[in-house]
């Protein structure tokens, strides 16, 4: 998806140029994994023209395998993003209707071939929000992955502005999430997609402080509803203002709630893709470390760093993430 | 319409930012007229969000009356434009499907109110190419203009890539052009929209050299087919390469073919909107000068200058155009 | 007025380009009002050349009526602005001597015609600081406004560096302010222009904390001195450093001191025009809301947002200001 | 003097930033000489504020001695320059009234001290055009230079837009030029300042072709009128369009007219300062080479190169100029 | 290799930023082939730090296989490039001493593994110019390629400034070129590396006009000296000035000299990598077309287009090159 | 030394351009002193090519005497700097091997001539880290300075990544520092270069809080080890994160530890050169003020301001530093 953003803190009505980058929830996870040295392929549909090619080149640049991308359709989806500051929140205008992926249908993808040799399939709640065709393709992928023994994860990612083709998230998502081994979400996603309410938590009121009981309650409800799911992760954002957030996450394994360190990010550079970088970090963490505590710390540190990096993609190395996990985050220079 | 263009001569696949400007055939004519001090309003439909507002602000900046623009719809149409150089031609990728104007219907516009106090209505072959609704709205406008005594002009502007809703230009355009008092086109437009062939002219072969007999032939055929039409103008572009064109035009009044000076534009800055600037200049020229010769000279000089100006809009004054009409175009500095 | 500013945090001595925008106290108020959907015209004098035209286009872009602007004179006034950071304050270098407006005389403006159909006239203490002619034109405008029943407001805006034509602010301002229905100022303005001292308040010492008694004292003195005045507003800036300010305001109606919420602006993007955005917000607030409390809250929220926007003009909508008035200012993204 | 120019080919009315550089006829000559390794000091008056300091730093950067510059006054003069293309000429808007140098008076400069150890004093027709004070200071400098045996040169540089203080160039210049040992000008300068007409030459008609007889005629008239003058140089610009000029010069020693090679500059980058770079090259050429032919070739080659360099200053080395003098100017890369 | 270039036509001494791209003769050929859909891997040695990674990402972006690149060493070689205009030639400053590839030794590369499954190995005269180690590695690669039946090609690419480690090109190159099946060069390369002089040709004198006899003479001498070589190609550049070149090439198969169309490139955007794009086009042409005439036409058209593209890499598709081969190069827009 | 840095917060792997500035520990001190009006010359060796010239011009721009710089060698050393944000620290990649100064030898510099008329010689621990030759030249300079009565100061500046030529800092530095009259360092420098440990201080643990006893201990050990030294200064940086540091310093005269105000720098613009600006401020402070307390306050205020300025050089005036020393640092605008 094309991301068009005015430079710095300019508003759309005053901008004369837009930063032209690419992103999207699943693509961002793929880039994270590729950065950590994990083989990662991105599957989508993109037009054969130069804008589609530019999207592909952007992924290739960061080491993602693009050989499974189907070429076709008319347009690349766009989101216009205007960066906020202090009391002014960011503005996001989606322009994704009619994109190649929104018009894709299940027959565009040969999942048996795509999953050959794969270990893991990740999708998010954004793709099924685009169109019936995209939701159908997603469902087919999950079913085939389940059959082939490919693990499945989902970032619930509820986006109110996107669900426009006549079905609601709560109608579509349950069947998809039923095939998942790992779920990532936040309190709003769980409520909007499944009606699961985190008891005793209100981000606005508490400033994002963690109430452990409430999180365990949400995780248990999700695991009860989706028995295939073995682990649930939740991200915790405290919005002080548009430049200053706190950030962390928890991972629940059915018994224990593992909590990450809580980062105080006082000078956010770009918070778009924060959740995706958390997901990418969590997948790597679960793969690379023996304990869930380390996995959730890697996820949180990776996405704390993402908040300091321009663009959707989290361009950090394992060494950099581990540096933050182990160090103090005091931003000292190495020289 | 949003125009997204890489800076300088960058290709889409290497660009990290895009120039974010606005344009479109009819909008460009409106800006030209406003620059010349003529009251000009632009009528279209634009979304209520910030990208729609930015389009409106862009027109306001150059003095166009935007009070008649209808707000609504989801997206602003886009064209991606990549500037060519020497042997490499420009690349234009349209992304206009589903735009507010493409989804507009006749009932969106109250033409009786819009035309109150108006003298002239101008449209181009691009609008009816977008959708049945846009073509219908256009036809209704022409009919009401004809009834109310508002003069009508059309720039034929054939765009092969746009006609996608199931009808061809040759099916739709004749009924629209039948209501016109003035037609602007080039040899390709006349052939593609009405099957009228300029005898003895081939832009590739002759390098754009003028064969007077051929032009008179085309003009006569157009005026025979559309008897309401009193004058026909044709633009003449000789493409030496992407940076170097020759440019001029002719105006036929049913008897005489008035030819403009021929400009040798050796260092083109931006040729997009060249035809629109010709149209804007012609409308002003016919209004402001007593002779057709002066009118076509103003049109040609205005659009020669347009080739030196970034963006769709022709930001030149009457004094500057007249300076070129009368002077040698030697680019001397006044100080 | 042209505003020339190095990009980002560059100093003048290292800059190779300057941002080229336009602003000025009264123009900024006009843009604010136009953004809120109020008809607003800006009256000034600008040269007929391209720099003057660029100033006009800048105002048109944001919907301000420019048809009353007189064209003439030699130059557009300039202020060079260098943005500070942390302990380094901004630097402002005025280069306004000899500008078209500084050389304007009362006969340049036909106030009877200008005020036809107008409800409100706003000026600031900056215009009479420029020259005797500008002060005279201002005084004539106020008198005619008073006669025609057009309400008058003034932002006291004391600028020490500008008063250079032989008269001091304390000599000139009282006669002008005597014709005002609404006064906006801060503690320094009142002292420098009228010798009115806010008792018990010192911005440096208290860090900008509000001492209600002191403000009531200043407001009462102003209203006693200028009996036509029905309301006085005061802005409250607490400067923690160049990036971090607190901001709010009070409105006194002769009886009650209405206080706005106090905003903690931790990442200022551009504080120039902060007071003007407050004035624009206050005028809209008084017009649109039934209570003074809402009016002062709108003013404060509007200008808190201004601190996050590049350039003099406050490019925010009523919906955005109300969003902040009602919400928490936590900068969350809507998507 | 500050030079403010939109990037690339942007017009003032569309620009959002301006290139911020420095220049001016005499300063440009000083930079040329410093680049060639000649000790060169620039004498002027500049305000004590940061814009004045930036002007000084700009000269220091290229090795000019700035220790003789007087600090004072309010503003640095400005010229806005908009670069033309093809048929569109450049636009120059002067904003120099009230600058520190325009308000300077003879007593600001201690010429006896300034000229201590100096060999040469150069001024141009632009300085005396600014104000009576500047003209007076200039005249005093020339007289003292004459007395002290410091050679004097003048570039006639007639600028119609500048002479505004009540005297014309033809009233002021003769007394100044009478003290000169070397004069540089073009056919227009000689006519406007002294009524001397080059017989048989018309830049518009002939496309800038050289008519040797006409030049000799102008040179002889100048030397007859100003007997102190030993050599006269004339620059020859042929304007094909704003991007494409021909360029060369002649030097007359009272007997022989030495002609330089004629350069065909097909892709001009920046022609501002072309004449100044010629003057700088000529002064160096007369100093460094035994023959007038070499001197005029160096001047022409230096200023041909200037046309390819952004900004007023000619940033080229002796080796580069000599490379062009001796080579073919085919733009081959050395690697 | 890092390429650092001032924006536009700025000189090094005035630039405040540099374009940061990557290139190099062999890398450029690899990108060309990848663009045409041919599997291409680039083999080199790059440091493990972020600058080395950026070089790798740059190649990945355009589809080159980077999995064979060895990581190690301290620095990435740099070339500073300053773009010329009209009479001012480009300036190239190499800063490659001590780069990872210059310090590489044969044991860094396992050629047996690298060439597994490969059809073709291409190198240029630049690599053996860097150091004894690089020359040794190159020689080993050629020998193993010869043994394994992998075809070998060489672009002679003589760079006087690079040969600094104690051996001359004429000492080193013959042994390397002896293993080549295809040679690309120009008249200067052949003379400097092997003492072979093209009779009757002088680029300066003839303005780059082709003397067929001379070329056949050079090709024959090369093939006589290096009997393994089956085909020789020569590029022909005519330098009119830094912006305007003519360009074409010839291919000799031992019997016939196939000549390409000659392109008149009037507005060069970037000529660096012109020869490499010719090589890339030639390799593709020989692979994809049945005749040598088509192969040389593809090579010439591809590299004519390269001159219009910023950066070392030729970012064009087969369709675009064929469009130019078949069309007129008039730069018309497709829309 | 060339400093190459991505714009804003971009990472190397995503940047397409780099800021191209110059800096280096000793050069930065020279610029500081020149800004304060002190005659300062910079002595180094730089190549004769354009990159070397650009380095020289950069120093000249800020008033540093460059006449003693030796021209020669192949390359200018480079450091790539990537700016961190919040939890992400800056990344510094040195590319200085083989630079002209690293390859310099004592005979390149004629210290007797260089020190003629000089009062003070300053060097840092970075120069002797580059190579044996640089260390030798440094030692010779110190010895001759000592002989000629020129005072010597050293900023210990330990850089682990630079010491690569076979000797360690602890082997080389003692002999050099033995010739110093004034030493500046921090706790890490003293430990790494001389094994002197500050008792009871740990920057990470205490968040940079000052333990007075520990500092006195370090200073005393240094003065005991290097008896020539009369004063020792220590900078104190508290790293909260990459954007937010606290900063101050102490000066010990053998008896008293003078402490500066502690600055809370919440929005760092550029911390590179912070220590050098402290040194420059300290040298000026010791020269200009009667008390050590004022000297250390000037140093601290000067370098607090440096943190708000882009680039290595501290572009502030004495008036600005004194403004901060005396004022509150609240960043108020003067207008």
């Amino acid at each position: 998806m094309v991301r068009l953003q005015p430079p710095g803190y300019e508003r759309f009505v005053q901008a004369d140029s837009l930063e032209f980058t690419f992103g999207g929830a699943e693509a961002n996870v793929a880039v994270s994994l590729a950065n950590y040295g994990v083989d990662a392929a991105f599957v989508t549909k993109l037009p054969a023209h130069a804008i589609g090619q530019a999207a592909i080149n952007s992924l290739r640049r960061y080491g993602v395998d693009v050989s499974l991308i189907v070429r076709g359709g008319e347009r690349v989806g766009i989101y216009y993003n205007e960066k906020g500051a202090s009391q002014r929140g960011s503005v996001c205008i989606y322009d994704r209707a009619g994109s190649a992926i929104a018009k894709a249908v299940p027959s565009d993808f040969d999942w048996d071939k795509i999953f050959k040799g794969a270990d893991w399939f990740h999708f998010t709640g954004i793709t099924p929000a685009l169109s019936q065709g995209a939701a159908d393709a997603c469902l087919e992928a999950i079913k085939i992955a389940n059959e082939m023994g490919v693990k499945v994860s989902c970032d619930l990612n509820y986006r109110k502005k996107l669900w426009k083709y006549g079905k609601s998230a709560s109608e579509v998502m349950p069947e998809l999430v039923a095939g998942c081994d790992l779920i990532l979400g936040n309190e709003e996603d769980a409520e909007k997609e499944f009606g699961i309410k985190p008891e005793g938590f209100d981000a606005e009121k508490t400033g994002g402080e963690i109430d452990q009981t409430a999180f365990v309650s949400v995780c248990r409800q999700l695991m009860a509803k989706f028995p295939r799911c073995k682990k649930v992760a939740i991200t915790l954002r405290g919005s002080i203002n548009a430049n200053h957030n706190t950030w962390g996450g928890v991972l629940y394994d059915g018994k224990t709630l593992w909590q990450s360190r809580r980062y105080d990010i006082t000078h956010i550079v770009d918070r778009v893709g924060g959740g995706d970088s958390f997901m990418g970090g969590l997948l790597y963490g679960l793969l690379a470390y023996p304990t869930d505590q380390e996995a959730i710390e890697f996820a949180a540190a990776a996405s704390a760093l993402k908040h300091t990096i321009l663009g959707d993609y989290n361009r950090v190395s394992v060494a950099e993430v581990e540096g933050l996990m182990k160090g103090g985050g005091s931003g000292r220079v190495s020289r």
Side-chain angles (χ1 to χ4, degrees), chain A:
Chain A
M1 180 172 48
V2 173
R3 170 176 166 175
L4 295 173
Q5 179 168 316
Y9 291 109
E10 287 186 16
R11 303 217 74 182
F12 289 124
V13 292
Q14 71 187 141
D16 276 357
S17 71
L18 300 174
E19 294 168 4
F20 174 53
T21 59
F22 294 87
E26 294 88 352
N28 299 347
V29 173
V31 169
S32 276
L33 290 169
N35 268 337
Y36 303 143
V38 177
D39 288 339
F42 181 56
V43 182
T44 191
K45 188 172 179 183
L46 284 167
H49 58 46
I51 307 302
Q53 189 60 45
I56 284 177
N57 287 10
S58 155
L59 290 159
R60 277 202 302 216
R61 183 175 184 175
Y62 295 103
V64 174
D65 176 358
V66 300
S67 63
L68 302 170
I69 293 176
V70 178
R71 300 301 292 268
E74 297 293 321
R75 63 184 304 256
V76 184
I78 291 172
Y79 78 101
Y80 294 94
N81 191 63
E82 186 187 81
K83 189 176 161 186
S86 293
Q87 279 77 15
R88 176 167 61 85
S90 293
V91 175
C92 178
I93 298 175
Y94 286 117
D95 180 9
R96 305 185 63 165
S99 71
I101 186 65
K103 292 204 163 175
V105 290
S107 62
D108 280 327
F109 305 99
D110 180 350
W111 295 108
D112 291 285
K113 198 175 145 198
I114 290 167
F115 288 143
K116 191 156 292 171
D119 296 317
W120 200 283
F121 172 64
H122 175 68
F123 75 100
T124 81
I126 289 173
T127 303
L130 297 177
S131 66
Q132 187 64 52
D136 291 348
C138 212
L139 183 58
E140 189 175 285
I142 294 161
K143 285 186 176 162
I144 295 173
N146 286 167
E147 284 164 19
M148 291 174 70
V150 174
K151 298 282 189 199
V152 178
S153 57
C154 176
D155 181 346
L156 300 178
N157 259 344
Y158 177 71
R159 296 287 182 270
K160 188 175 57 177
K161 289 187 185 173
L162 287 178
W163 289 92
K164 289 190 169 171
Y165 62 93
K167 289 200 180 155
S168 69
S170 60
E171 288 172 286
V172 174
M173 290 299 290
E175 191 177 4
L176 299 171
V177 174
C180 291
D181 301 276
L182 172 64
I183 298 171
L184 174 69
N186 61 28
E187 67 292 354
E188 189 196 6
D189 299 333
E191 181 177 352
K192 292 296 163 56
E193 298 186 0
F194 313 117
I196 292 173
K197 294 194 188 183
E199 276 124 45
F201 181 76
D202 180 330
E204 288 287 341
K205 271 194 205 148
T206 65
E209 282 307 306
I210 304 173
D211 178 338
Q212 197 165 326
T213 324
F215 287 119
V216 172
S217 150
V218 169
C219 293
R220 283 204 179 138
Q221 290 179 64
L222 280 168
M223 289 174 78
K225 188 174 177 74
F226 304 111
R228 183 182 197 106
C229 176
K230 303 298 173 299
K231 288 183 182 173
V232 176
I234 295 181
T235 56
L236 308 167
R237 183 183 296 282
S239 281
I240 292 155
N241 62 41
N243 299 88
H244 183 182
N245 283 190
T246 61
W247 179 256
V250 297
L251 177 63
Y252 186 68
D253 61 6
K255 290 187 205 152
T256 309
L257 188 80
W258 305 96
Q259 287 186 219
S260 79
R261 193 178 0 153
R262 188 101 177 151
Y263 291 96
D264 188 35
I265 311 172
T266 60
H267 294 73
I268 295 175
V269 172
D270 189 345
R271 49 158 285 182
V272 182
D276 308 325
S277 66
F278 190 94
M279 186 77 220
L282 183 60
L283 291 178
Y284 179 81
L286 291 170
L287 193 75
Y289 297 98
T291 70
D292 280 0
Q293 182 65 45
E294 286 163 300
I296 194 74
E297 290 292 6
F298 190 91
S303 61
L305 288 175
K306 167 62 197 72
H307 286 76
T308 71
I309 289 168
L310 283 162
D312 269 53
Y313 302 155
N314 193 17
R315 296 154 177 99
V316 293
S317 65
V318 169
E320 289 174 319
V321 179
E322 292 187 338
L324 178 54
M325 278 168 73
K326 292 165 190 165
S330 67
R332 284 183 173 266
V333 188
S334 159
R335 56 188 179 185

